[in-house]
Amino acid sequence: MELKINEKVINVEEGKNGHDLTLELAKDEIKTIIAYKLNGKLFDLFAPINEAGDFEFITTSSDEAFHILNHSCAHLLAEAVSSLYKGAKFGVGPAIDEGFYYDIDLGDVVLKEDDLKKIESKMKELSKKNEYVVRKVVSKDEALDIFKNDEYKTELINELEGEISIYKQGDYVDLCCGPHVPSTGFIKFFKLETIAGAYWRGNSENKQLTRIYGVCASTKEKLEEIENIKEEAKKRDHRKIGKEMGLFSFSEYGPGFPFFLPKGLTLRRQIENWWYDLHDEHGYKVIKTPIILSKELWLTSGHWDHYKENMYTTKIDDRDFAIKPMNCPGAILVYNSELHSYKDLPLRLGELGLVHRHEASGALNGLFRVRCFTQDDAHIFCTKEQLKDEIENLLKFFDEIYSVFKLDYSIVLSTKPEKDYIGDDAIWEQSERILAEACKATGKDFKINPGDGAFYGPKLDFKLKDCMGRIWQCGTIQLDMNLPERFNCTFINSKGEKERPIMLHRAILGSFERFIGIITEHFAGAFPAWCTPVQIKVLPVNNNFHLEYSKKLVSEFKKHHFRVELDDSEEKLGYRMRNAQMQKIPYTIVVGDKEVENKTVTYRKYGTDKQITVSIDDFSKMLQDEIDSKSLLVELKKFSK
RNA sequence: GCCGAAUUAGCUUAGUCGGUAGAGCAACUCAUUCGUAAUGAGUAGGUCGUUGGUUCGAUUCCGACAUUCGGCACCA
């Protein structure tokens, strides 16, 4: 059969050893080609070619190569570890989006961060040997024999069906389906990053293995770039910026319970006010329900049985109560507090609801994972006929909100779980179809995550992507076939009969806490003027001559409800300018002789060093426009691929 | 919750192979009155996370606990 390789047509014999492929390549090409792709499948460079079709060499700079390089680097790590730590047993060592890891059982040996350097230099040494990475297909019995001392590999082999392949480099053999780089010399630019514990097969019932994370790149520059992105992420860490800018804090007296400081709450209030306004416009009725409600309610909702571990409970007058982990039962009590006609539907009950959940101590993580948070929740009661329109409206609403923050997102449709779900299969199927159709009707792409729906209904999850390319689960639209039933929710239809409404849960930002954490990192603290804690800083050049006019400006801006601060400290202008810039204040106004004389405003916008002089009115109008349009303060840099 | 690490002044941190600690920034005082990212000098500020143990002596070594961080598990 014929195969086109590098513009040359060559004849490939059935089962011919691919070693000969290298003959078709120039010497310097061999250095950068690590695999080939045939009909969409990846193969080792030396793998025999068994069919004709679309052929492509994989060079070290491609995305596939990153994966292959990192997977091979995991093997190199294992080779180094097995030579340094006799008796080490190996779990799995895959490539991941950020690099690779290997799970290792080192017996009683506890690995220290310093040991990584030792392992790294061993890896460098092995890489210099540039040994071939040889694939071999073996029988199950052979495989079991080779790995007879490694219970982890043995467990994996016993579950394997079909072809079993092993890879050998030097004395090291690993169970693997490949593909890999042709030789260890390809793995030159790598770094071992952290040590962590990880349960064997991801099951907390199992033993924990030592996981070593690392990353491998095709060039020194690429490795540096990856390191730089990590550095940038560290600089943007919301915990760091939150402290520096005085947004929020934590106390050991309340693990997982964040404190919003004056500046952080100002930021939050802007978003909350906007949220309320938007919900008024979109026909929501906004409510606030109590955070403590009696056990009976949670028994009815099913939370007491399904979610009790995560709920905080208390006793009042000898009666059991729980602090709400979710807002739904409260919203249902509001719904059920009066009779509803079909003419009232859809009824959209919005709530910024404060919930408390007992998250595992190890799960806590800044504002991203907390034990008390406010969901921007809404529960929508509608008829079956209204469902599709309602979901389409929601999708547009979500878009409206996310676009303000310039956050990209993707949608995942989670469908009926395999077991332990409630409701008819037919209703599930119908609801899933409605969710999918609503996406299509509004032009939204979505992925399907089969079996990942809640036990009470299918859902659409919204995964936000920040400018660092990280993914955050925030918004959700969930159909609920459970609670309306349990609480016997009804409305009177046009025939005068009682009918069960459909109930939708939805959250757009998810929680204010997490969302504020995300946008803090997304904007690196340079929040858009409309929501930033302080919009204007006024700096008199000389307090003896310019303070009066500065104060006049401040009171003028306060009339416009601008958030303005005066810095009349006895410091040099440069010092105060520096502070204003570090606080990422959108407009810093410097007041000197010229401004006092001409009654003007000279400002410097954050992120620029231009000085612009305008009239007071023009400045106010410009800032008001910026606030009204919710424009970004600085253009967002993209750090991800 | 599990594996590992960390915790020194308000913040960022140095240091002690066991003899109770230094710095920069911030604060305060004085001088400087200054046009766009740090003016100078001085003062004060520490139960070295909490708590047991070992020791003549513990911030340092060991244990427990708390909190935080990196992961894992969890996130109906």
Side-chain angles (χ1 to χ4, degrees), chain A residues 64-92:
Chain A
E64 285 109 333
F66 182 78
H67 198 269
I68 295 170
L69 263 177
N70 275 281
H71 191 182
S72 296
C73 197
H75 277 221
L76 189 66
L77 164 66
E79 186 183 1
V81 170
S82 71
S83 83
L84 289 170
Y85 301 88
K86 298 292 168 207
K89 294 169 192 167
F90 296 88
V92 291

Side-chain angles (χ1 to χ4, degrees), chain A residues 228-244:
Chain A
N228 287 342
I229 289 175
K230 290 203 169 127
E231 283 303 307
E232 179 64 30
K234 261 189 210 163
K235 277 188 218 154
R236 287 169 173 251
D237 191 317
H238 72 280
R239 293 167 297 201
K240 184 172 177 280
I241 291 177
K243 200 179 255 182
E244 287 165 357

Side-chain angles (χ1 to χ4, degrees), chain A residues 209-370:
Chain A
L209 308 180
T210 303
R211 175 172 294 181
I212 300 176
Y213 281 96
V215 64
C216 179
S218 54
T219 63
K220 194 169 169 236
E221 290 69 32
K222 283 206 176 140
L223 185 63
E224 275 166 10
E225 196 188 316
I226 291 168
E227 299 295 313
N228 287 342
I229 289 175
K230 290 203 169 127
E231 283 303 307
E232 179 64 30
K234 261 189 210 163
K235 277 188 218 154
R236 287 169 173 251
D237 191 317
H238 72 280
R239 293 167 297 201
K240 184 172 177 280
I241 291 177
K243 200 179 255 182
E244 287 165 357
M245 292 181 69
L247 301 177
F248 41 81
S249 67
F250 292 89
S251 159
E252 62 180 299
Y253 292 105
F257 301 114
F259 289 66
F260 277 81
L261 304 178
K263 293 219 162 105
L265 189 64
T266 301
L267 167 70
R268 178 174 169 158
R269 280 170 55 201
Q270 309 314 312
I271 302 171
E272 283 177 353
N273 292 343
W274 168 66
W275 188 94
Y276 280 124
D277 289 347
L278 274 178
H279 281 71
D280 288 343
E281 285 166 29
H282 281 74
Y284 281 74
K285 296 197 165 125
V286 183
I287 57 173
K288 199 68 129 179
T289 64
I291 68 161
I292 302 181
L293 291 162
S294 85
K295 178 180 173 180
E296 293 76 29
L297 178 82
W298 302 109
L299 277 169
T300 307
S301 70
H303 288 92
W304 196 271
D305 295 327
H306 281 98
Y307 203 68
K308 191 164 177 293
E309 261 81 275
N310 285 294
M311 286 164 72
Y312 297 111
T313 55
T314 185
K315 263 190 200 296
I316 301 174
D317 294 340
D318 282 331
R319 190 176 160 199
D320 288 320
F321 283 78
I323 302 176
K324 67 177 176 181
M326 286 169 200
N327 303 302
C328 343
I332 287 178
L333 293 184
V334 172
Y335 180 86
N336 279 357
S337 67
E338 53 185 355
L339 271 180
H340 293 283
S341 147
Y342 68 96
K343 291 175 189 167
D344 301 334
L345 304 186
L347 181 65
R348 310 182 184 102
L349 294 176
E351 173 172 15
L352 294 187
L354 174 62
V355 297
H356 290 70
R357 297 181 186 177
H358 181 244
E359 302 290 351
S361 57
L364 302 178
N365 177 228
L367 286 182
F368 290 154
R369 195 76 180 272
V370 285

Side-chain angles (χ1 to χ4, degrees), chain A residues 137-154:
Chain A
V137 174
V138 295
S139 71
K140 202 168 201 168
D141 288 341
E142 284 174 281
L144 284 170
D145 186 56
I146 294 166
F147 296 103
K148 62 176 176 286
N149 294 323
D150 190 325
E151 67 251 38
Y152 305 103
K153 295 290 182 197
T154 303

Side-chain angles (χ1 to χ4, degrees), chain A residues 6 13 97 351 363 444 498 512 525 599:
Chain A
N6 280 8
E13 288 166 34
D97 285 352
E351 173 172 15
K444 305 281 170 214
K498 276 191 179 176
F512 271 86
K599 305 258 178 293

